[in-house]
Amino acid sequence: DAGVIQSPRHEVTEMGQEVTLRCKPISGHNSLFWYRQTMMRGLELLIYFNNNVPIDDSGMPEDRFSAKMPNASFSTLKIQPSEPRDSAVYFCASRQEGTSETQYFGPGTRLLVL
Amino acid sequence: DQQVKQNSPSLSVQEGRISILNCDYTNSMFDYFLWYKKYPAEGPTFLISISSIKDKNEDGRFTVFLNKSAKHLSLHIVPSQPGDSAVYFCAATTDSWGKLQFGAGTQVVVTP
């Protein structure tokens, strides 16, 4: 059974460019989470969806960040325009709400904005 | 506001000995706690969890203890193995919250 799939695994871009990160949750999971990990702030939640609907986006740092979940098997996190301080590892996680609190994480996307 | 705290950024332990990782929380509403393990260049993987109705949960070499009055939990790894070398994150949530609050992590190094 495939776990959470994220793409790309690595992204290097220049300041000002648009960056799109992608996530495919585990089949059957109805909650999806986007996290960012940095040395300074650790692992912080950006946004989470339940049944494709954004429930809490209070962790989204600013308007340059947006996330969508058009269907149960796909989500994107977009940064436009990107800045060097956005450099981090971005994780997607999913879980089956109602049956377990456990979230399962993808391998992450390592983003470097030059 | 850091609601989950792991005050030890690193821990070094000899192979075969016990590793004890500590975690403190401030939100008394938390009722479910999890430990995740993370290797470099990988996502965190779920290790073990405990509900607030219990004070201990065991899974093989891993045991989690919960002290609700002290708002403290700990993870014991016995015996420690070199493959246990990783960063360990403590996380907490409430039944209705849906999201996890993570600690900063503890880097464990198991030496031969």
Side-chain angles (χ1 to χ4, degrees):
Chain A
D1 187 22
V4 175
I5 298 172
Q6 290 186 247
S7 64
R9 291 295 309 275
H10 302 274
E11 177 80 29
V12 181
T13 190
E14 291 187 345
M15 183 174 65
Q17 297 297 307
E18 177 180 296
V19 175
T20 300
L21 311 181
R22 298 173 176 80
C23 175
K24 177 178 169 53
I26 292 173
S27 177
H29 283 191
N30 57 2
S31 292
L32 183 140
F33 305 80
W34 281 102
Y35 289 88
R36 178 171 68 176
Q37 185 183 27
T38 61
M39 288 295 291
M40 290 295 293
R41 300 175 67 88
L43 198 59
E44 54 179 341
L45 177 68
L46 300 177
I47 185 171
Y48 89 91
F49 295 84
N50 190 37
N51 293 321
N52 313 337
V53 176
I55 302 301
D56 185 344
D57 64 355
S58 59
M60 296 287 262
E62 48 197 276
D63 292 346
R64 297 184 298 105
F65 285 71
S66 63
K68 293 182 180 179
M69 191 164 187
N71 57 63
S73 59
F74 184 67
S75 177
T76 59
L77 178 67
K78 185 176 292 186
I79 309 172
Q80 165 65 18
S82 58
E83 297 182 3
R85 61 191 167 123
D86 302 330
S87 298
V89 182
Y90 291 81
F91 291 104
C92 176
S94 70
R95 78 174 178 119
Q96 179 57 52
E97 181 164 324
T99 60
S100 173
E101 300 289 346
T102 302
Q103 296 179 20
Y104 296 89
F105 283 75
T109 295
R110 184 172 295 274
L111 173 65
L112 178 61
V113 183
L114 302 172
Chain B
D1 178 28
Q2 194 74 335
Q3 298 185 59
V4 178
K5 298 179 183 179
Q6 294 177 256
N7 292 319
S8 298
S10 63
L11 172 70
S12 182
V13 64
Q14 230 174 358
E15 182 178 1
R17 307 294 289 268
I18 183 171
S19 295
I20 300 177
L21 291 79
N22 293 302
C23 178
D24 296 293
Y25 61 96
T26 57
N27 189 340
S28 57
M29 298 297 291
F30 287 146
D31 55 15
Y32 198 80
F33 304 88
L34 306 90
W35 285 93
Y36 282 81
K37 174 177 169 179
K38 185 182 181 305
Y39 292 118
E42 295 184 12
T45 56
F46 170 71
L47 194 57
I48 192 169
S49 62
I50 188 167
S51 164
S52 60
I53 62 173
K54 295 184 176 181
D55 54 17
K56 177 182 175 181
N57 189 26
E58 195 171 350
D59 184 1
R61 297 185 297 114
F62 303 92
T63 303
V64 56
F65 296 92
L66 175 62
N67 183 334
K68 290 186 291 293
S69 61
K71 294 192 180 69
H72 177 83
L73 64 155
S74 62
L75 174 68
H76 292 206
I77 308 173
V78 185
S80 301
Q81 299 175 352
D84 297 331
S85 296
V87 178
Y88 290 78
F89 291 96
C90 169
T93 187
T94 69
D95 184 45
S96 59
W97 209 22
K99 57 185 181 181
L100 296 177
Q101 183 77 48
F102 281 87
T106 297
Q107 172 77 59
V108 172
V109 176
V110 180
T111 57

Coordinates of all heavy atoms in Angstrom, one line a residue, chain A residues 9 33 35 37 41-43 45 48 55-56 58 91 95 97 100-108 110, chain B residues 2 31-32 34 36 38 41-46 49 89 93-100 102-104:
Chain A
R9 N 10.7 16.0 -4.9 CA 11.4 15.8 -3.7 C 12.3 16.9 -3.3 O 12.6 17.2 -2.2 CB 12.2 14.5 -3.7 CG 11.3 13.2 -3.8 CD 10.5 13.0 -2.5 NE 11.4 13.1 -1.3 CZ 12.1 12.0 -0.8 NH1 12.0 10.9 -1.4 NH2 12.8 12.2 0.3
F33 N -2.8 17.3 5.7 CA -2.1 18.4 6.4 C -0.9 18.8 5.7 O -0.1 17.9 5.1 CB -1.7 17.8 7.8 CG -2.8 17.3 8.6 CD1 -3.3 16.0 8.4 CD2 -3.4 18.1 9.6 CE1 -4.3 15.5 9.2 CE2 -4.4 17.5 10.4 CZ -4.9 16.3 10.2
Y35 N 2.8 20.7 6.4 CA 3.7 21.2 7.5 C 4.9 21.8 6.8 O 5.3 21.4 5.7 CB 4.1 20.0 8.4 CG 3.1 19.4 9.3 CD1 2.3 18.4 8.8 CD2 3.0 19.9 10.6 CE1 1.3 17.8 9.7 CE2 2.0 19.3 11.4 CZ 1.2 18.3 11.0 OH 0.3 17.8 11.8
Q37 N 9.0 22.4 8.0 CA 10.0 22.2 9.0 C 11.2 23.1 8.7 O 11.8 23.1 7.6 CB 10.5 20.8 9.0 CG 11.5 20.5 10.2 CD 12.0 19.1 10.2 OE1 12.1 18.4 9.2 NE2 12.3 18.6 11.4
R41 N 12.0 27.1 13.6 CA 10.6 26.9 14.1 C 10.1 25.5 14.3 O 9.0 25.2 14.7 CB 9.6 27.7 13.2 CG 9.9 29.2 13.1 CD 9.0 29.8 12.1 NE 7.6 29.8 12.5 CZ 7.0 30.8 13.2 NH1 7.7 31.8 13.6 NH2 5.7 30.7 13.5
G42 N 11.0 24.6 13.9 CA 10.7 23.2 14.0 C 9.6 22.8 13.0 O 9.5 23.3 11.9
L43 N 8.7 21.8 13.4 CA 7.7 21.3 12.5 C 6.4 22.1 12.8 O 5.8 22.0 13.9 CB 7.5 19.9 12.8 CG 6.8 19.0 11.8 CD1 7.5 19.0 10.5 CD2 6.7 17.5 12.3
L45 N 2.5 23.4 11.6 CA 1.3 23.1 10.7 C 1.0 24.4 9.9 O 0.8 25.5 10.5 CB 0.1 22.7 11.5 CG -1.2 22.4 10.7 CD1 -1.0 21.2 9.8 CD2 -2.3 22.2 11.7
Y48 N -4.8 22.6 7.2 CA -5.3 21.2 7.0 C -6.7 21.2 6.5 O -7.5 22.1 6.7 CB -5.1 20.4 8.3 CG -6.2 20.4 9.3 CD1 -7.3 19.4 9.2 CD2 -6.2 21.3 10.4 CE1 -8.3 19.4 10.2 CE2 -7.2 21.2 11.3 CZ -8.2 20.3 11.2 OH -9.2 20.3 12.2
I55 N -9.9 23.5 6.8 CA -10.5 23.6 8.1 C -9.8 24.7 8.9 O -10.4 25.5 9.7 CB -10.5 22.3 8.9 CG1 -11.3 21.2 8.1 CG2 -11.0 22.5 10.3 CD1 -12.7 21.6 7.9
D56 N -8.5 24.7 8.8 CA -7.7 25.6 9.6 C -6.5 26.0 8.8 O -5.6 25.2 8.5 CB -7.2 24.9 10.9 CG -6.5 25.9 11.9 OD1 -6.0 26.9 11.4 OD2 -6.3 25.5 13.1
S58 N -4.7 28.8 9.8 CA -4.1 29.9 10.6 C -2.5 29.8 10.6 O -1.9 30.8 11.0 CB -4.6 29.7 12.1 OG -4.3 28.5 12.6
F91 N 6.3 19.1 4.4 CA 5.7 17.8 4.5 C 4.2 17.8 4.3 O 3.5 18.7 4.8 CB 6.0 17.2 5.9 CG 7.5 16.8 6.1 CD1 8.2 17.6 6.9 CD2 8.0 15.7 5.6 CE1 9.6 17.4 7.2 CE2 9.4 15.4 5.8 CZ 10.1 16.2 6.6
R95 N -4.6 11.4 7.3 CA -5.1 10.5 8.3 C -6.5 10.2 8.0 O -7.2 10.9 7.2 CB -4.9 11.1 9.7 CG -6.0 12.1 10.1 CD -5.8 12.5 11.5 NE -6.8 13.5 11.9 CZ -7.7 13.4 12.8 NH1 -7.9 12.3 13.5 NH2 -8.5 14.4 13.1
E97 N -9.8 10.5 9.6 CA -10.5 11.1 10.7 C -11.6 10.2 11.1 O -12.4 9.7 10.3 CB -11.0 12.5 10.4 CG -11.7 13.2 11.5 CD -11.8 14.7 11.3 OE1 -10.9 15.3 10.8 OE2 -12.9 15.2 11.7
S100 N -8.7 7.3 13.7 CA -7.4 7.4 14.3 C -6.9 8.8 14.3 O -7.2 9.6 13.4 CB -6.4 6.5 13.5 OG -5.0 6.7 14.0
E101 N -6.1 9.1 15.4 CA -5.5 10.4 15.4 C -4.1 10.4 14.7 O -3.5 11.5 14.5 CB -5.2 10.8 16.9 CG -6.5 10.9 17.8 CD -7.3 12.1 17.4 OE1 -6.8 13.0 16.6 OE2 -8.5 12.2 17.8
T102 N -3.7 9.3 14.3 CA -2.3 9.2 13.8 C -2.3 9.7 12.3 O -3.1 9.4 11.5 CB -1.9 7.7 13.7 OG1 -1.9 7.2 15.1 CG2 -0.5 7.6 13.2
Q103 N -1.3 10.6 12.1 CA -1.1 11.2 10.8 C 0.1 10.4 10.2 O 1.1 10.1 10.9 CB -0.8 12.7 10.9 CG -1.9 13.5 11.4 CD -1.6 15.0 11.5 OE1 -0.7 15.4 10.9 NE2 -2.4 15.7 12.3
Y104 N 0.0 10.2 8.9 CA 1.1 9.5 8.2 C 1.7 10.5 7.2 O 1.0 11.2 6.4 CB 0.5 8.3 7.4 CG 0.0 7.3 8.4 CD1 -1.3 7.3 8.8 CD2 0.9 6.3 8.9 CE1 -1.8 6.4 9.8 CE2 0.4 5.4 9.8 CZ -0.9 5.4 10.2 OH -1.4 4.5 11.2
F105 N 3.0 10.6 7.3 CA 3.7 11.7 6.6 C 4.3 11.2 5.3 O 4.8 10.0 5.2 CB 4.9 12.2 7.4 CG 4.4 13.2 8.5 CD1 3.8 12.7 9.6 CD2 4.6 14.6 8.4 CE1 3.4 13.6 10.6 CE2 4.2 15.4 9.3 CZ 3.6 15.0 10.5
G106 N 4.4 12.1 4.3 CA 5.2 11.9 3.1 C 6.6 12.1 3.3 O 7.0 12.5 4.4
P107 N 7.5 11.9 2.3 CA 8.9 12.1 2.4 C 9.4 13.5 2.5 O 10.5 13.8 2.8 CB 9.5 11.3 1.2 CG 8.4 11.5 0.2 CD 7.1 11.4 1.0
G108 N 8.5 14.4 2.1 CA 8.8 15.8 2.1 C 9.4 16.4 0.8 O 9.9 15.6 0.0
R110 N 12.1 19.3 -0.3 CA 13.1 20.2 0.2 C 13.2 21.4 -0.7 O 13.6 21.2 -1.9 CB 14.5 19.5 0.3 CG 15.6 20.4 0.9 CD 16.9 19.6 1.2 NE 16.6 18.5 2.2 CZ 16.8 18.8 3.5 NH1 17.1 20.0 4.0 NH2 16.6 17.8 4.4
Chain B
Q2 N 4.6 27.7 22.5 CA 5.0 26.3 22.4 C 4.3 25.5 23.4 O 4.6 25.6 24.6 CB 6.5 26.2 22.6 CG 7.1 24.9 22.1 CD 7.2 24.8 20.6 OE1 6.5 25.3 19.9 NE2 8.1 23.9 20.2
D31 N -5.5 15.3 24.8 CA -6.0 14.0 25.4 C -5.4 12.8 24.5 O -5.8 11.7 24.8 CB -7.5 13.9 25.4 CG -8.2 14.2 24.1 OD1 -7.5 14.2 23.1 OD2 -9.4 14.4 24.1
Y32 N -4.5 13.1 23.6 CA -3.9 12.0 22.9 C -2.5 12.5 22.5 O -2.3 13.6 22.1 CB -4.8 11.8 21.6 CG -4.5 10.4 20.9 CD1 -5.1 9.3 21.4 CD2 -3.7 10.3 19.8 CE1 -4.9 8.1 20.9 CE2 -3.4 9.1 19.2 CZ -4.0 8.0 19.8 OH -3.8 6.7 19.2
L34 N 1.4 11.3 20.8 CA 2.1 10.4 19.8 C 3.6 10.7 19.8 O 4.0 11.8 20.1 CB 1.5 10.7 18.4 CG 0.0 10.6 18.2 CD1 -0.6 11.9 18.4 CD2 -0.3 10.1 16.8
Y36 N 6.8 10.3 17.1 CA 7.2 10.1 15.8 C 8.8 10.0 15.8 O 9.4 10.7 16.5 CB 6.8 11.2 14.8 CG 5.3 11.1 14.4 CD1 4.3 11.6 15.3 CD2 5.0 10.6 13.2 CE1 3.0 11.6 14.9 CE2 3.6 10.6 12.8 CZ 2.7 11.1 13.7 OH 1.3 11.0 13.3
K38 N 12.1 10.3 13.1 CA 12.5 10.8 11.8 C 13.9 10.6 11.5 O 14.8 11.0 12.2 CB 12.2 12.3 11.8 CG 12.4 12.9 10.4 CD 12.1 14.4 10.4 CE 12.4 15.0 9.0 NZ 13.7 14.7 8.4
A41 N 16.3 13.1 5.6 CA 15.7 13.1 4.3 C 14.5 12.2 4.2 O 14.1 11.7 3.1 CB 16.8 12.6 3.3
E42 N 13.9 11.9 5.3 CA 12.6 11.2 5.3 C 11.6 11.9 6.1 O 11.9 12.8 6.9 CB 12.8 9.8 5.9 CG 13.7 8.8 5.1 CD 13.7 7.4 5.6 OE1 12.9 7.1 6.5 OE2 14.6 6.7 5.2
G43 N 10.3 11.6 5.9 CA 9.2 12.1 6.7 C 9.2 11.5 8.0 O 9.7 10.3 8.2
P44 N 8.6 12.1 9.0 CA 8.4 11.5 10.3 C 7.5 10.2 10.2 O 6.6 10.2 9.4 CB 7.6 12.6 11.1 CG 7.9 13.9 10.4 CD 8.1 13.5 9.0
T45 N 7.9 9.2 10.9 CA 7.1 8.0 10.9 C 6.5 7.7 12.3 O 7.2 7.9 13.3 CB 7.9 6.7 10.5 OG1 9.0 6.6 11.3 CG2 8.4 6.9 9.0
F46 N 5.3 7.3 12.3 CA 4.6 7.1 13.6 C 5.3 5.9 14.3 O 5.6 4.9 13.8 CB 3.1 6.8 13.3 CG 2.4 6.3 14.5 CD1 2.1 7.1 15.6 CD2 2.0 4.9 14.6 CE1 1.4 6.7 16.7 CE2 1.3 4.5 15.7 CZ 1.0 5.4 16.8
S49 N 1.7 5.6 20.4 CA 0.8 6.7 20.9 C 0.1 6.3 22.3 O 0.3 5.1 22.7 CB -0.3 7.0 19.9 OG -1.1 5.8 19.7
F89 N 10.1 13.0 17.8 CA 9.2 14.1 18.0 C 8.0 13.7 18.9 O 7.4 12.6 18.6 CB 8.6 14.7 16.7 CG 9.6 15.4 15.8 CD1 10.2 14.8 14.8 CD2 9.9 16.7 16.1 CE1 11.1 15.4 14.0 CE2 10.8 17.4 15.2 CZ 11.4 16.7 14.2
T93 N -2.6 16.2 20.8 CA -3.8 16.7 20.1 C -5.0 16.6 21.1 O -4.9 15.9 22.1 CB -4.1 16.0 18.8 OG1 -5.2 16.6 18.1 CG2 -4.4 14.5 19.1
T94 N -6.1 17.2 20.7 CA -7.4 17.0 21.4 C -8.3 16.2 20.5 O -8.1 16.2 19.3 CB -8.0 18.3 21.9 OG1 -8.5 18.9 20.7 CG2 -7.0 19.2 22.6
D95 N -9.3 15.6 21.1 CA -10.2 14.7 20.3 C -10.9 15.5 19.2 O -11.1 15.1 18.1 CB -11.2 14.1 21.2 CG -12.1 13.1 20.5 OD1 -11.6 12.4 19.7 OD2 -13.3 13.2 20.7
S96 N -11.2 16.8 19.5 CA -11.9 17.6 18.6 C -11.1 18.5 17.7 O -11.6 19.2 16.9 CB -13.0 18.4 19.3 OG -12.3 19.2 20.3
W97 N -9.8 18.5 18.0 CA -8.9 19.5 17.4 C -8.6 19.2 15.9 O -8.6 20.0 15.1 CB -7.7 19.6 18.2 CG -7.0 21.0 18.2 CD1 -7.6 22.2 17.9 CD2 -5.7 21.3 18.5 NE1 -6.7 23.2 18.0 CE2 -5.5 22.7 18.4 CE3 -4.6 20.5 19.0 CZ2 -4.3 23.3 18.6 CZ3 -3.4 21.1 19.2 CH2 -3.3 22.5 19.1
G98 N -8.2 17.9 15.7 CA -7.9 17.4 14.4 C -6.4 17.6 14.0 O -5.9 16.9 13.2
K99 N -5.7 18.5 14.6 CA -4.3 18.8 14.3 C -3.4 18.4 15.4 O -3.8 18.4 16.6 CB -4.2 20.2 13.8 CG -4.5 21.3 14.9 CD -4.4 22.7 14.3 CE -4.8 23.7 15.4 NZ -4.7 25.1 14.8
L100 N -2.1 18.2 15.1 CA -1.1 17.8 16.0 C -0.3 19.0 16.4 O 0.1 19.8 15.5 CB -0.3 16.7 15.5 CG -0.9 15.3 15.2 CD1 0.1 14.4 14.7 CD2 -1.5 14.8 16.5
F102 N 3.5 19.7 17.6 CA 4.7 19.0 17.8 C 5.7 19.7 18.7 O 5.7 20.9 18.7 CB 5.4 18.8 16.4 CG 4.8 17.7 15.6 CD1 3.7 18.0 14.8 CD2 5.3 16.4 15.6 CE1 3.1 17.0 14.0 CE2 4.7 15.4 14.8 CZ 3.7 15.7 14.0
G103 N 6.5 18.9 19.4 CA 7.7 19.4 20.1 C 8.8 19.7 19.1 O 8.7 19.3 17.9
A104 N 9.9 20.2 19.6 CA 11.0 20.6 18.7 C 11.9 19.4 18.3 O 12.7 19.5 17.4 CB 11.9 21.6 19.4

